[in-house]
Coordinates of all heavy atoms in Angstrom, one line a residue:
G392 N 121.8 94.5 100.5 CA 120.6 94.8 99.7 C 120.7 95.9 98.7 O 121.8 96.6 98.6
T393 N 119.7 96.1 97.9 CA 119.6 97.1 96.9 C 118.3 97.8 97.1 O 117.2 97.2 97.3 CB 119.6 96.4 95.5 OG1 120.8 95.7 95.4 CG2 119.5 97.4 94.4
T394 N 118.3 99.2 97.0 CA 117.1 99.9 97.1 C 116.9 100.8 95.9 O 117.9 101.1 95.2 CB 117.0 100.8 98.4 OG1 118.1 101.7 98.4 CG2 117.1 99.9 99.7
I395 N 115.7 101.3 95.7 CA 115.4 102.1 94.6 C 114.9 103.5 95.1 O 114.0 103.5 96.0 CB 114.3 101.5 93.7 CG1 114.6 100.0 93.3 CG2 114.0 102.3 92.4 CD1 115.8 99.9 92.4
N396 N 115.4 104.5 94.5 CA 114.9 105.9 94.8 C 114.9 106.2 96.3 O 113.9 106.9 96.8 CB 113.6 106.2 94.1 CG 113.7 106.1 92.6 OD1 114.7 106.5 92.1 ND2 112.7 105.6 92.0
G397 N 115.8 105.8 97.0 CA 115.9 106.1 98.5 C 115.0 105.3 99.3 O 114.7 105.7 100.5
G398 N 114.4 104.3 98.8 CA 113.4 103.5 99.6 C 114.1 102.9 100.9 O 115.3 102.7 100.9
D399 N 113.3 102.7 101.9 CA 113.8 102.2 103.2 C 114.0 100.7 103.1 O 114.9 100.2 103.8 CB 112.8 102.5 104.3 CG 112.7 104.0 104.6 OD1 113.8 104.7 104.5 OD2 111.6 104.4 105.0
E400 N 113.2 100.0 102.4 CA 113.3 98.5 102.4 C 114.0 98.1 101.1 O 113.7 98.5 100.0 CB 112.0 97.9 102.5 CG 111.3 98.1 103.8 CD 112.1 97.5 104.9 OE1 112.6 96.3 104.8 OE2 112.3 98.2 106.0
P401 N 115.0 97.1 101.2 CA 115.6 96.6 100.0 C 114.6 95.8 99.1 O 113.6 95.3 99.6 CB 116.7 95.6 100.5 CG 116.8 95.9 102.0 CD 115.5 96.6 102.4
I402 N 114.9 95.8 97.8 CA 114.1 95.0 96.9 C 114.3 93.5 97.2 O 115.4 93.1 97.8 CB 114.4 95.3 95.4 CG1 115.8 95.0 95.1 CG2 114.0 96.8 95.2 CD1 116.1 95.1 93.6
Q403 N 113.4 92.6 96.8 CA 113.5 91.2 97.0 C 114.6 90.6 96.1 O 114.7 91.0 94.9 CB 112.2 90.5 96.7 CG 111.2 90.7 97.8 CD 110.4 89.4 98.0 OE1 109.8 88.9 97.0 NE2 110.4 88.9 99.2
P404 N 115.5 89.7 96.7 CA 116.5 89.1 95.8 C 115.9 88.3 94.7 O 114.8 87.7 94.8 CB 117.2 88.2 96.8 CG 116.9 88.7 98.1 CD 115.6 89.3 98.1
F405 N 116.5 88.4 93.5 CA 116.2 87.6 92.3 C 114.9 88.0 91.7 O 114.4 87.2 90.8 CB 116.3 86.1 92.6 CG 117.6 85.7 93.3 CD1 117.6 85.1 94.5 CD2 118.8 85.8 92.6 CE1 118.8 84.7 95.1 CE2 120.0 85.4 93.2 CZ 120.0 84.9 94.4
V406 N 114.3 89.1 92.1 CA 113.0 89.5 91.5 C 113.3 90.8 90.7 O 113.7 91.8 91.3 CB 112.0 89.8 92.6 CG1 110.7 90.4 91.9 CG2 111.7 88.6 93.4
P407 N 113.1 90.8 89.3 CA 113.4 92.0 88.5 C 112.5 93.1 88.9 O 111.3 92.9 89.0 CB 113.2 91.5 87.1 CG 113.2 90.0 87.1 CD 112.8 89.6 88.5
V408 N 113.0 94.3 89.1 CA 112.3 95.5 89.4 C 112.5 96.5 88.2 O 113.6 96.9 88.0 CB 112.7 96.2 90.7 CG1 111.9 97.5 90.9 CG2 112.5 95.2 91.8
P409 N 111.4 96.7 87.4 CA 111.6 97.6 86.2 C 112.0 99.0 86.7 O 111.6 99.5 87.7 CB 110.2 97.7 85.6 CG 109.5 96.4 86.1 CD 110.1 96.2 87.5
L410 N 112.8 99.6 85.8 CA 113.4 101.0 86.1 C 112.9 102.0 85.1 O 112.7 101.6 83.9 CB 114.9 101.0 86.1 CG 115.6 100.1 87.1 CD1 117.0 99.9 86.9 CD2 115.3 100.6 88.6
R411 N 112.6 103.2 85.5 CA 112.2 104.3 84.6 C 113.4 105.2 84.5 O 114.3 105.2 85.3 CB 111.0 105.0 85.2 CG 109.8 104.2 85.3 CD 108.7 104.9 86.0 NE 109.2 105.4 87.2 CZ 108.5 105.6 88.3 NH1 107.3 105.3 88.4 NH2 109.1 106.0 89.4
D412 N 113.3 106.1 83.5 CA 114.4 107.1 83.3 C 114.5 107.9 84.5 O 113.5 108.4 85.1 CB 114.0 107.9 82.1 CG 115.1 108.9 81.7 OD1 116.3 108.5 81.7 OD2 114.8 110.1 81.5
G413 N 115.7 108.1 85.0 CA 116.0 108.9 86.2 C 115.9 108.1 87.5 O 116.3 108.7 88.6
D414 N 115.5 106.8 87.5 CA 115.5 106.1 88.8 C 116.9 105.9 89.3 O 117.9 105.8 88.6 CB 114.9 104.7 88.6 CG 113.4 104.7 88.6 OD1 112.7 105.7 89.0 OD2 112.8 103.6 88.3
R415 N 117.0 105.9 90.6 CA 118.3 105.8 91.3 C 118.3 104.5 92.0 O 117.5 104.1 92.9 CB 118.4 106.9 92.3 CG 118.5 108.3 91.6 CD 118.5 109.5 92.6 NE 117.8 109.3 93.9 CZ 116.4 109.5 94.0 NH1 115.7 109.8 93.0 NH2 115.9 109.3 95.2
V416 N 119.3 103.7 91.7 CA 119.6 102.3 92.3 C 120.7 102.5 93.3 O 121.8 102.9 93.0 CB 120.0 101.3 91.2 CG1 120.2 100.0 91.8 CG2 118.9 101.2 90.1
H417 N 120.4 102.2 94.6 CA 121.3 102.4 95.7 C 121.9 101.0 96.1 O 121.1 100.1 96.4 CB 120.7 103.0 96.9 CG 120.0 104.3 96.5 ND1 120.7 105.5 96.4 CD2 118.7 104.6 96.3 CE1 119.8 106.5 96.1 NE2 118.6 105.9 96.0
V418 N 123.2 100.9 96.0 CA 123.9 99.7 96.4 C 125.0 100.0 97.4 O 125.6 101.1 97.3 CB 124.5 98.9 95.2 CG1 123.4 98.4 94.3 CG2 125.5 99.7 94.4
G419 N 125.4 99.1 98.3 CA 126.5 99.4 99.2 C 126.2 100.5 100.1 O 125.1 100.8 100.5
A420 N 127.3 101.1 100.6 CA 127.2 102.1 101.7 C 126.9 103.5 101.1 O 126.1 104.3 101.7 CB 128.5 102.2 102.5
W421 N 127.4 103.8 99.9 CA 127.2 105.1 99.4 C 127.0 105.2 97.8 O 126.8 106.3 97.3 CB 128.3 106.0 99.7 CG 129.7 105.5 99.3 CD1 130.1 105.5 98.0 CD2 130.7 105.0 100.1 NE1 131.4 105.0 97.9 CE2 131.8 104.7 99.2 CE3 130.8 104.8 101.4 CZ2 133.0 104.1 99.7 CZ3 132.0 104.2 101.9 CH2 133.1 103.9 101.0
T422 N 127.0 104.1 97.2 CA 126.9 104.2 95.7 C 125.5 104.3 95.2 O 124.6 103.5 95.6 CB 127.6 102.9 95.1 OG1 128.9 102.8 95.6 CG2 127.5 102.9 93.6

């Protein structure tokens, strides 16, 4: 999964989530 800004739940697959300046996209174990 992929989370935004430290969220607990991953975003839904294949659904674009708009990003703002400074947003943090979390992928993998530590990236």
Side-chain angles (χ1 to χ4, degrees):
T393 301
T394 61
I395 309 294
N396 296 326
D399 290 330
E400 292 299 316
I402 62 174
Q403 284 216 303
F405 308 116
V406 177
V408 176
L410 299 170
R411 296 175 307 215
D412 185 46
D414 276 350
R415 297 172 328 278
V416 178
H417 305 280
V418 297
W421 58 72
T422 301

